[in-house]
Amino acid sequence: MHIESRLQFRYAYPQDQDPITFEDFTDTETHVFEVNRARLKVGGHGFKPWLKYYWEYDVVGGNLLDFRVMVEKWEFFKLKIGQWKTYFTRERVISSGKQQLVDRSIINRPFTVDRQQGMEFYGRLFPERLLDLSYNISVLTGTGRGQSTNDDEHLMYVGRLQWNVFGRELGFSGSDLSMTEAPEGLIAFAGVTNRSPYTRFSTSGGGQLVGFADGEEGQYRVNQLLLETAFKYRGFSWQHESHYKEIHDRILAQTTILKGSYFQAGYFLHQIWSDIPEPLEAAMRYAWYTPEVNVENNLHKELGLGVNWFFAGHRNKLTAEVTWLELQGPTFPVSDEVRVRVQWDISF
C-alpha cells in the first residue's frame, strides 16, 4: 500500500477560471490566493501483484474522485472496474499534478468525458514492433462522477486506439523530465457516444454547456471524435488534440456541432545552453474552439506561456504562467484578457 497527499497552492490575477461568457470578462478584477487542490491518494495491490487498487479523495471539495480495481495479469488484456477519469483525452487523463502549465486548456471544459463509473478493457498489442498498439474500450453509466446508474437503458461507450510510433509506450505525464534518449511518440484516435440529460462533464459530475437547458432523461445524444498526438525526446515534449463533438437534442430535434484543438510544447533550455539551470523548463500552448460551427464569428482562443522549476520532478514544482484569452461572439464585440498565475504543487 502506498499513501500519498498532494497540495496545490495558486495565485491568479485578475481571475482564476477560464472566462466562458461575455459577462466573465467584465467581472471585477481580483487577486486570488487559494488551495486549488488537496488530494489524498491510496494505491497498491492485494493478494497478487497483478491485482491492483486505487482510490483518491478530494479534501477541498469533499468528494471521492477515484475508486477502482485493476486486473493486470496479462499485457494484452486487462480489466478495470469502478470510477476513474475515462481514457478518452490525454490532457484530461494526465493528473493535474503532472501538467506542463498551471492547468488544462480551454478545450477541456467542452470536450472532456471526465470521471464515470463502469468497466474498461485495455491492453497493449505487438509491443516493441512496428505496429505497437495500445487500446481502451469502456462501458460506463454515462451520468458522471458519483452516479452508479444511468438515466435510461443507453450506456456510454468509449473507444481509444493508440499507435506507439517508436515501439515504446508514452506515459501520461507532461514534460520530458527523464531527457528521453530514444524518441517516444503516439498517434491516437478515440470516440465516444452517450445519451443522457447532460452536454458536458466535470469533476462535479454532469452539467450543461452554455446555451443548453437542464435536460430530461435521455434528452441529449452526444457523439465525439478525437485525434491526438504526443512526442518526447531529449528534453522536448509535444502534445496535441483535435476534437469534434455533436450534440443532438432529441426533444427540440436540433443538432449542435463543436470543434476545437490545442497544441502544446515544452523544452528544457539547458539542452541547448548549458548556462541555463537544468530544473528550468519553458512551455507554451495555443488552443481554440467554437461552440457552434454553423454560427460565424463564434470563437474562443487561448495563448499561454509558462515556465516550470522542478525541485523534485512533478512531486515538487513551481509554475508561472501568462495567458491571453479571447472570446469572439456573433452578437457582442471581441473581448480579451491577460491572466497571470503562479502555482506550487507538492506531493508527500
Side-chain angles (χ1 to χ4, degrees), residues 127-140:
E128 300 181 9
R129 300 180 184 178
L130 177 62
L131 197 62
D132 187 325
L133 300 174
S134 299
Y135 71 91
N136 301 77
I137 301 172
S138 304
V139 181
L140 308 159

Side-chain angles (χ1 to χ4, degrees), residues 137-184:
I137 301 172
S138 304
V139 181
L140 308 159
T141 59
T143 46
R145 182 197 59 77
Q147 300 297 316
S148 58
T149 61
N150 72 325
D151 57 309
D152 54 22
E153 72 274 17
H154 297 276
L155 295 169
M156 173 186 282
Y157 299 95
V158 183
R160 175 185 169 92
L161 183 62
Q162 174 179 306
W163 176 32
N164 303 307
V165 180
F166 301 100
R168 291 174 290 276
E169 198 169 36
L170 184 61
F172 282 88
S173 67
S175 308
D176 185 20
L177 286 166
S178 60
M179 305 297 164
T180 308
E181 286 297 325
E184 298 177 354

Side-chain angles (χ1 to χ4, degrees), residues 35-313:
V35 179
N36 190 59
R37 291 180 175 93
R39 302 283 172 83
L40 178 64
K41 305 178 182 183
V42 178
H45 70 267
F47 306 108
K48 299 290 185 178
W50 46 263
L51 184 58
K52 302 177 181 180
Y53 63 90
Y54 178 83
W55 64 265
E56 182 172 340
Y57 184 76
D58 176 12
V59 179
V60 174
N63 299 313
L64 183 57
L65 300 179
D66 287 46
F67 52 90
R68 59 184 187 262
V69 174
M70 294 80 73
V71 181
E72 298 186 340
K73 187 174 183 178
W74 307 283
E75 186 175 25
F76 67 91
F77 182 81
K78 303 175 184 180
L79 172 65
K80 180 191 304 179
I81 58 173
Q83 175 177 284
W84 62 91
K85 286 188 288 188
T86 308
Y87 274 59
F88 179 57
T89 68
R90 176 179 174 81
E91 182 183 38
R92 183 60 182 137
V93 172
I94 293 176
S95 168
S96 57
K98 296 182 179 180
Q99 294 286 325
Q100 201 162 34
L101 294 173
V102 168
D103 221 327
R104 299 177 178 92
S105 72
I106 59 170
I107 71 168
N108 178 70
R109 184 180 190 275
F111 295 107
T112 183
V113 180
D114 217 87
R115 288 179 169 88
Q116 305 285 343
Q117 290 191 30
M119 64 189 305
E120 177 184 300
F121 307 98
Y122 59 106
R124 186 179 176 189
L125 306 174
F126 319 116
E128 300 181 9
R129 300 180 184 178
L130 177 62
L131 197 62
D132 187 325
L133 300 174
S134 299
Y135 71 91
N136 301 77
I137 301 172
S138 304
V139 181
L140 308 159
T141 59
T143 46
R145 182 197 59 77
Q147 300 297 316
S148 58
T149 61
N150 72 325
D151 57 309
D152 54 22
E153 72 274 17
H154 297 276
L155 295 169
M156 173 186 282
Y157 299 95
V158 183
R160 175 185 169 92
L161 183 62
Q162 174 179 306
W163 176 32
N164 303 307
V165 180
F166 301 100
R168 291 174 290 276
E169 198 169 36
L170 184 61
F172 282 88
S173 67
S175 308
D176 185 20
L177 286 166
S178 60
M179 305 297 164
T180 308
E181 286 297 325
E184 298 177 354
L186 65 85
I187 301 174
F189 298 91
V192 56
T193 184
N194 187 41
R195 205 175 94 175
S196 75
Y198 309 114
T199 58
R200 65 174 291 263
F201 293 99
S202 69
T203 301
S204 300
Q208 305 299 339
L209 293 168
V210 174
F212 290 89
D214 291 341
E216 300 180 12
E217 293 184 355
Q219 179 173 349
Y220 299 111
R221 164 62 71 179
V222 177
N223 299 310
Q224 294 184 231
L225 294 173
L226 163 72
L227 168 65
E228 180 182 278
T229 62
F231 176 78
K232 288 184 179 180
Y233 182 57
R234 293 188 175 179
F236 174 78
S237 58
W238 159 269
Q239 55 192 55
H240 142 264
E241 294 174 8
S242 290
H243 290 265
Y244 172 91
K245 182 173 183 175
E246 180 183 272
I247 303 172
H248 178 66
D249 188 327
R250 300 176 62 250
I251 294 178
L252 299 180
Q254 62 185 28
T255 300
T256 302
I257 296 176
L258 299 81
K259 290 183 179 180
S261 295
Y262 88 90
F263 307 88
Q264 183 172 308
Y267 192 56
F268 286 87
L269 300 176
H270 178 81
Q271 293 291 99
I272 57 174
W273 190 5
S274 60
D275 290 340
I276 297 177
E278 292 185 29
L280 181 66
E281 180 195 32
M284 68 172 296
R285 176 169 65 212
Y286 174 73
W288 68 271
Y289 80 92
T290 174
E292 172 52 271
V293 298
N294 295 320
V295 177
E296 295 183 358
N297 302 319
N298 192 17
L299 193 63
H300 296 241
K301 296 180 183 178
E302 171 194 7
L303 177 62
L305 301 174
V307 291
N308 292 303
W309 186 279
F310 295 95
F311 299 102

Side-chain angles (χ1 to χ4, degrees), residues 18-22 24-25 109 210 289 300 327:
D18 295 332
I20 58 174
T21 66
F22 176 72
D24 291 338
F25 286 92
R109 184 180 190 275
V210 174
Y289 80 92
H300 296 241
L327 176 58

